[in-house]
Amino acid sequence: MQRLLFVAVLVLSTLIGCQRLGTSSPATPEGVTWIKTVSPPPGSAQVPYQQFTLDNGLTVLLHQDHSDPLVSVDMRYHVGSAREEPGKSGFAHFFEHMMFEGSEHVDDHGKRIKEVGGYNNGSTNRDTTQYYQTVPANELERVLWLESDRMGFLLDAVSQRKFEVQRDTVKNERAFRIDNVPYGRVNETINQALYPEGHPYSWPVIGYVDDLDRVDVGDLKQFFSRWYGPNNATLTIGGDLDVQQTLAWVKKYFGDIPEGPTIPAADPQPVTLEADRFVTLEDKVSQPVLVMSFPTSTPETDTSTRLSVLANVLGQGRDSVLYQSLVQTGKLLSAGASHQCGELACTFEIYGVGSQGQSLADVRALLRQSMATFAAQGISEDDISQIKAMVEADNIFALQSVDGKVEQLASDYTLHGDASLLTQRLARLDAVTPSKVMDSYQAWVSEQPAVNLSVVPEGRQDLVAHPANFVYQRPDYRHISNPNNEDTLGLRKTPERFDRSQIPPPNGSVTVTVPNIYRADLDNGIHLAGTVSRETPTVTLQLRLPAGVLMEPNDKRGVANLTASMITEGGAGMSAAELTQALDKLGSQISVNPDSYHTTLTVTSLKKHLIETLQLVNKVISAPTFAEQDFERIKKQTLESMASRADDAGWLADQAISQLLYQDETFRAPRGGVAEDIATMTLADVQRFYRQHYVLKGSQLVVVGDLSREHAINLANRITPWQPIPEGHAQVARPVPRDDENAQIWLVDKPQAPQTSIRMVRHGMPYDATGSMFKTRLANFNLGGNFNARINQNLRQDKGYTYGAHSGVYGGRQTGTIEVSADVRADASAEAIKELWKEMAHAHENGFTEQELAYLRQSSGQQDALSYETPWEKAGLIAHIEAFDLDDNYREAQKVLLHSLTRQQLNAQAARWFDPNDYQIIVVGDAERLEDELRQLGLPVNRLTLEYR
């Protein structure tokens, strides 16, 4: 089963009621009030924290974690799209963009985070807007300065030009995420049918384009004044912090910001349906999809807990009812269920994905039949115990990241007014019984009315589940007056009691502990590399077998992926469902994924269940079932997914790159394989690939977790070879490059595409850690390697052509590429190419400035403080070192090179590699609309037919 998204849950029978609340008030600055200290018992997954409130109403949550030299800061405002006015949809998200455009004392928020090695972003949902950043611990004061400036001093820095550019950016984002994406409008269409007009969840978070076009700067200022006061915000800080110093900084930077208007509580607004609603959405897709959405209860209740358990048993994971009855049997490509809650309402969704041409009336009948079978059979105590085991493991793993802990605290407090909801959630989950789950099923799902959305390919209304009886007609909001006109808010002014224009200096320095790597070459053929990490009682293992895509025969492209998929179908007498159940009861997970040179088997486990988990892994890897019916089902699913990938503009662009850069069949082939090869593939081909490549000789095992070196070696030695090493071991394929002498435009047709995907690409260099490839990657940093780089500032921030533009220098063992990419408004396609060409030519001819070199050095200087926090990050570092045979201290060597690198050396790389005349330009979009304007650029324009779709 998939992991159930309960938060902060550990051993259910022992933790309920054990949480301790601190009763003694710590010393606080004047104007800061201590509210409580939450100190969970040892072993609990509840995050410990202290809660404070400023006189202006700002809530502050602090969590100390000294394991890594970093801090995570989350500023969350209790306003999302649900607080918008009808006819002004998308404003909360639009405003999130404006918060990154600078404030009175800050020119560029993101740049000031990036230059100290941190990262930041924001997100908006229906109920909240969050701004988050993680930085080295010594830069915490800088983050508080930045966040306070945009809370207290934003509006005077807002200009009409910034407003217009970000309006264009949001519209580009909508096209990128929704309008130009297969199935991108599903949620929007469901919500239009499920919620009555005017309900806060009836419009999309990103908004409607005509609403975005209608708002003005005055609307923005009113939105800020109403919702962005400190009394409607929660500031959560976690990591390597000193509580007293942090409170002093919080008081200094936020204490003078005036309180905003009183915010009314957001009362729940669940909805009901009188009868089934049938809705049709025609889209540029290959497979038809049916989604049934049932309105249910409110969040954080006994009912919502039971419905989450129901969704898990009914439709999450390989042992779920829908998977076993419909997917495992080959009747549907995919099927599942989920229970989703916002602050105001919840929904229960069941979906089914049909094959090309399959009637959704059939799909609905199959789903209903499985539901009826489930209603007759019910669920068991064993099902619930399995879920509780998953919850325990999930929340122990969640403690590995400070970001994750801060997110949990911030979300719970903002939405529910309590950051320590563990006890209540535990009690609700512990009280779940099979009969109560089935009661909830009958009350909310079984024969209850739902929105039934049929998503069908354009022109295939014959595939719908039922003719539409609901068609959304949006009211004309153009002439509706602002209901708050009579309540216009005055702008709040924050007094300046110190010089806020000064960037706070770092608070000392940070000491980064690089993982200490141990190694051993074992008699069973495994090369072991690992490190000890004792922050949580968990273990992460990655077994890398010499079974990569580049080892496939030329007429069996895709066999590595098929083999990996077959491994998890069970082994040693266990079915896939039995394997899933056994792993879930341990709280463990395994996955099998091929890349160019290896197939990696990844295992995550609680330390206490590691031996049992490895026994299960050994069964499937050493004696896979390889059943014919499983192979035929996976083969069919693979071919169907290949049909749908041609609907994605990004995939088309990536495939065009492979076709233009290589002549050989292996490197030209799409990732995942070639449909023609897979169509003729047999189970014997999979078994042959397994016998030849799934061997321990030449394998690598990465171990990170609560294990000593000796313990890890002992475990690795227990892995015995399950088959002999084959003779005539297959060779790795070698690339045969294809080169065009001059720059040309290659046009891939995607009819009626609202956006154009542009790629400029050339051959680059294989990977190196401190050579030309690394130096060129450094040179790229200011061209397109970060948000503030030249091409993104030009195309997004200045022109408003795109949601994002970037470039990258990529290197593997044998090959490398340099790629520039942007998805732009269709009407700006030619102009965007002109601007990209101009930026490339300028970098090629003139290089970069001393200021840009300084920014590169600043941004990279402390980033290692954020690089080794989680076991997954440590495992990635070790795997990278092993893959390229690097020194353990190669990151130090990179730092030395960076700080000794001169501007002349950097610009020499730009002159060598960034000449736009050396690049091929790929354009994926509506060819009929684009071809004439592209020819006006003065470059040859070729229609490119992709060999593989």
Side-chain angles (χ1 to χ4, degrees):
M1 290 185 181
Q2 252 179 7
R3 299 195 175 277
L4 189 64
L5 298 181
F6 289 98
V7 292
V9 179
L10 193 56
V11 184
L12 300 170
S13 61
T14 62
L15 292 190
I16 294 179
C18 293
Q19 183 169 285
R20 292 185 293 111
L21 295 179
T23 57
S24 59
S25 170
T28 61
E30 183 180 355
V32 178
T33 302
W34 171 79
I35 303 300
K36 64 180 177 180
T37 298
V38 175
S39 301
S44 172
Q46 169 63 51
V47 179
Y49 68 95
Q50 297 183 64
Q51 180 178 335
F52 305 87
T53 302
L54 272 62
D55 288 349
N56 58 14
L58 177 67
T59 294
V60 181
L61 306 175
L62 302 182
H63 163 67
Q64 288 182 292
D65 180 344
H66 300 297
S67 57
D68 292 280
L70 57 84
V71 288
S72 178
V73 180
D74 183 300
M75 177 62 80
R76 195 162 304 211
Y77 295 89
H78 197 170
V79 56
S81 61
R83 298 281 194 164
E84 295 163 349
E85 301 163 10
K88 291 186 178 180
S89 65
F91 208 87
H93 173 253
F94 180 17
F95 194 85
E96 175 210 318
H97 279 245
M98 292 301 301
M99 286 282 277
F100 288 91
E101 292 304 292
S103 48
E104 185 173 333
H105 307 101
V106 179
D107 55 348
D108 188 311
H109 187 106
K111 188 173 185 178
R112 297 299 162 227
I113 294 292
K114 183 68 176 176
E115 69 185 5
V116 295
Y119 63 84
N120 72 303
N121 211 331
S123 69
T124 305
N125 59 38
R126 295 180 294 186
D127 306 307
T128 65
T129 305
Q130 68 172 132
Y131 303 91
Y132 54 93
Q133 43 260 302
T134 299
V135 296
N138 62 338
E139 296 291 354
L140 173 58
E141 185 182 5
R142 171 185 287 243
V143 178
L144 299 177
W145 167 68
L146 290 165
E147 283 294 355
S148 67
D149 207 68
R150 57 183 176 185
M151 178 188 281
F153 300 91
L154 179 80
L155 295 185
D156 286 344
V158 172
S159 67
Q160 186 67 35
R161 173 163 178 72
K162 289 180 180 179
F163 182 86
E164 296 296 342
V165 168
Q166 287 311 305
R167 184 188 349 231
D168 285 341
T169 300
V170 171
K171 290 193 285 187
N172 287 323
E173 182 179 358
R174 180 185 166 93
F176 180 72
R177 295 188 184 277
I178 296 177
D179 298 331
N180 201 33
V181 175
Y183 309 103
R185 289 181 291 141
V186 165
N187 287 334
E188 179 176 308
T189 306
I190 289 173
N191 291 336
Q192 290 167 347
L194 183 63
Y195 298 104
E197 184 66 31
H199 188 286
Y201 287 177
S202 65
W203 53 79
V205 173
I206 203 165
Y208 297 109
V209 170
D210 56 346
D211 287 356
L212 293 170
D213 284 338
R214 202 162 43 244
V215 297
D216 57 31
V217 174
D219 292 312
L220 180 145
K221 293 184 177 182
Q222 283 298 298
F223 191 89
F224 178 87
S225 296
R226 183 170 300 281
W227 300 109
Y228 272 68
N231 51 309
N232 196 41
T234 300
L235 173 63
T236 308
I237 308 170
D240 189 14
L241 59 87
D242 176 89
V243 171
Q244 297 305 315
Q245 178 62 80
T246 301
L247 289 176
W249 285 332
V250 170
K251 173 62 169 60
K252 173 182 178 180
Y253 289 105
F254 291 91
D256 292 334
I257 299 176
E259 183 176 355
T262 300
I263 303 299
D267 295 326
Q269 299 184 46
V271 297
T272 59
L273 294 173
E274 295 299 321
D276 277 323
R277 285 185 174 178
F278 292 91
V279 184
T280 298
L281 172 63
E282 293 189 41
D283 201 356
K284 298 182 187 305
V285 297
S286 298
Q287 282 83 24
V289 173
L290 177 70
V291 183
M292 298 189 294
S293 186
F294 302 82
T296 63
S297 65
T298 54
E300 297 295 334
T301 62
D302 291 342
T303 297
S304 66
T305 300
R306 295 166 193 166
L307 288 171
S308 292
V309 172
L310 170 66
N312 201 295
V313 175
L314 185 62
Q316 294 178 7
R318 289 187 172 194
D319 59 337
S320 68
V321 172
L322 295 178
Y323 188 93
Q324 285 296 303
S325 61
L326 300 178
V327 182
Q328 186 74 30
T329 57
K331 296 175 183 177
L332 295 180
L333 295 178
S334 180
S338 64
H339 188 239
Q340 303 169 15
C341 283
E343 184 178 18
L344 307 182
C346 302
T347 57
F348 193 97
E349 292 191 348
I350 297 173
Y351 74 89
V353 181
S355 300
Q356 295 177 84
Q358 186 174 2
S359 167
L360 290 179
D362 259 358
V363 172
R364 187 167 186 264
L366 289 169
L367 289 171
R368 282 291 182 184
Q369 183 179 10
S370 293
M371 293 165 66
T373 301
F374 167 73
Q377 295 177 348
I379 70 172
S380 67
E381 289 284 1
D382 196 49
D383 292 329
I384 296 174
S385 297
Q386 184 174 327
I387 290 170
K388 291 178 180 179
M390 290 189 293
V391 168
E392 175 191 352
D394 275 355
N395 290 280
I396 292 176
F397 281 103
L399 296 176
Q400 294 175 343
S401 163
V402 170
D403 285 357
K405 292 186 285 187
V406 166
E407 158 68 26
Q408 175 193 318
L409 293 173
S411 177
D412 281 350
Y413 186 84
T414 303
L415 293 177
H416 309 295
D418 186 358
S420 55
L421 291 178
L422 174 64
T423 301
Q424 297 172 44
R425 289 195 177 115
L426 286 174
R428 287 198 299 269
L429 183 57
D430 203 41
V432 170
T433 65
S435 63
K436 290 177 180 177
V437 173
M438 297 311 295
D439 287 347
S440 292
Y441 173 72
Q442 294 296 335
W444 298 99
V445 179
S446 178
E447 298 298 329
Q448 301 304 313
V451 171
N452 297 261
L453 173 63
S454 296
V455 188
V456 296
E458 290 181 330
R460 295 302 308 269
Q461 290 264 352
D462 58 305
L463 298 181
V464 302
H466 187 280
N469 63 8
F470 178 88
V471 177
Y472 178 65
Q473 296 291 333
R474 190 162 188 256
D476 184 353
Y477 285 107
R478 286 176 296 175
H479 306 296
I480 295 179
S481 62
N482 185 340
N484 287 319
N485 276 344
E486 72 283 358
D487 187 29
T488 299
L489 297 169
L491 302 183
R492 301 185 303 277
K493 297 295 290 185
T494 301
E496 296 195 52
R497 306 187 194 279
F498 59 94
D499 187 357
R500 287 182 175 264
S501 66
Q502 296 299 307
I503 300 176
N507 184 35
S509 59
V510 295
T511 301
V512 179
T513 302
V514 179
N516 183 23
I517 303 173
Y518 58 77
R519 293 179 175 83
D521 290 307
L522 308 180
D523 292 341
N524 56 12
I526 292 175
H527 172 71
L528 172 67
T531 192
V532 178
S533 179
R534 301 197 185 278
E535 293 172 25
T536 56
T538 62
V539 180
T540 297
L541 302 96
Q542 296 177 350
L543 178 61
R544 297 163 63 83
L545 301 168
V549 170
L550 296 184
M551 299 169 186
E552 297 173 333
N554 281 340
D555 60 346
K556 306 295 180 188
R557 292 163 295 179
V559 69
N561 278 276
L562 283 180
T563 306
S565 297
M566 288 294 293
I567 294 298
T568 55
E569 289 296 315
M574 296 183 72
S575 67
E578 290 168 337
L579 173 64
T580 299
Q581 290 167 354
L583 288 168
D584 284 350
K585 289 175 182 177
L586 301 173
S588 303
Q589 286 190 324
I590 66 170
S591 63
V592 185
N593 297 290
D595 59 26
S596 296
Y597 298 94
H598 296 92
T599 289
T600 301
L601 189 150
T602 302
V603 179
T604 57
S605 173
L606 299 178
K607 180 182 178 180
K608 65 181 180 181
H609 295 316
L610 181 59
I611 297 298
E612 298 158 282
T613 300
L614 292 181
Q615 289 171 347
L616 292 171
V617 171
N618 183 63
K619 286 183 178 182
V620 297
I621 196 70
S622 64
T625 302
F626 285 147
E628 184 70 40
Q629 62 268 30
D630 291 334
F631 172 76
E632 291 299 330
R633 169 175 49 82
I634 292 173
K635 177 178 171 179
K636 176 184 176 182
Q637 292 171 336
T638 302
L639 290 170
E640 287 282 352
S641 70
M642 289 180 168
S644 66
R645 65 190 181 185
D647 302 324
D648 182 78
W651 184 88
L652 295 174
D654 288 343
Q655 186 51 35
I657 290 173
S658 298
Q659 191 164 317
L660 289 175
L661 292 187
Y662 300 105
Q663 300 181 54
D664 59 284
E665 293 179 337
T666 299
F667 279 79
R668 286 169 75 90
R671 293 181 180 180
V674 175
E676 290 82 356
D677 290 2
I678 289 174
T680 61
M681 218 172 284
T682 66
L683 179 60
D685 295 319
V686 167
Q687 292 170 319
R688 186 177 303 110
F689 189 83
Y690 170 82
R691 288 194 302 270
Q692 190 166 23
H693 297 287
Y694 277 61
V695 294
L696 288 183
K697 182 178 180 181
S699 68
Q700 300 172 355
L701 178 63
V702 174
V703 179
V704 178
D706 191 11
L707 296 178
S708 67
R709 177 182 185 276
E710 293 71 23
H711 193 175
I713 291 174
N714 182 44
L715 285 175
N717 273 321
R718 295 187 192 182
I719 305 174
T720 57
W722 49 83
Q723 59 184 2
I725 299 170
E727 296 182 5
H729 200 64
Q731 297 298 308
V732 173
R734 303 295 178 187
V736 181
R738 175 183 183 275
D739 286 302
D740 290 282
E741 292 185 1
N742 301 305
Q744 301 179 59
I745 295 174
W746 303 86
L747 181 57
V748 179
D749 190 23
K750 192 173 189 294
Q752 300 177 343
Q755 275 194 323
T756 301
S757 293
I758 300 171
R759 304 291 186 270
M760 296 178 66
V761 61
R762 61 158 295 167
H763 286 290
M765 299 151 277
Y767 177 84
D768 63 58
T770 54
S772 292
M773 184 267 183
F774 175 69
K775 293 174 185 176
T776 306
R777 182 175 284 178
L778 294 178
N780 178 68
F781 179 83
N782 282 299
L783 174 64
N786 74 95
F787 183 88
N788 295 97
R790 292 178 179 182
I791 62 173
N792 192 64
Q793 290 297 301
N794 184 334
L795 268 67
R796 171 176 164 148
Q797 298 297 91
D798 184 47
K799 304 295 191 305
Y801 291 163
T802 180
Y803 176 53
H806 64 275
S807 56
V809 178
Y810 308 104
R813 289 189 187 180
Q814 302 182 72
T815 64
T817 60
I818 303 176
E819 302 175 23
V820 181
S821 65
D823 290 82
V824 305
R825 295 196 326 255
D827 63 356
S829 301
E831 289 300 316
I833 292 173
K834 283 183 184 178
E835 294 300 322
L836 290 172
W837 186 282
K838 181 182 75 174
E839 294 292 356
M840 296 285 289
H842 182 65
H844 163 67
E845 295 165 8
N846 304 300
F848 301 98
T849 66
E850 287 290 351
Q851 290 79 9
E852 287 175 312
L853 176 57
Y855 179 47
L856 167 64
R857 287 175 175 158
Q858 287 176 317
S859 301
S860 304
Q862 295 190 114
Q863 65 182 5
D864 278 1
L866 281 59
S867 299
Y868 315 121
E869 181 189 9
T870 68
W872 189 258
E873 290 168 332
K874 293 180 175 74
L877 171 69
I878 296 171
H880 182 71
I881 289 173
E882 296 301 311
F884 293 101
D885 194 25
L886 304 175
D887 291 336
D888 290 356
N889 65 346
Y890 84 96
R891 298 288 286 265
E892 285 300 316
Q894 289 181 333
K895 285 183 185 179
V896 171
L897 189 154
L898 171 62
H899 288 284
S900 65
L901 191 69
T902 66
R903 177 170 170 253
Q904 290 71 28
Q905 291 172 321
L906 193 73
N907 290 346
Q909 300 300 318
R912 169 68 180 85
W913 295 102
F914 295 160
D915 184 350
N917 292 287
D918 296 333
Y919 286 72
Q920 299 303 308
I921 303 172
I922 297 164
V923 178
V924 180
D926 189 334
E928 183 176 348
R929 177 181 180 181
L930 296 175
E931 188 164 2
D932 287 344
E933 64 180 84
L934 292 177
R935 292 191 183 280
Q936 295 175 19
L937 295 175
L939 295 171
V941 178
N942 312 281
R943 290 282 190 111
L944 180 63
T945 301
L946 298 183
E947 295 173 340
Y948 308 113
R949 288 227 182 183

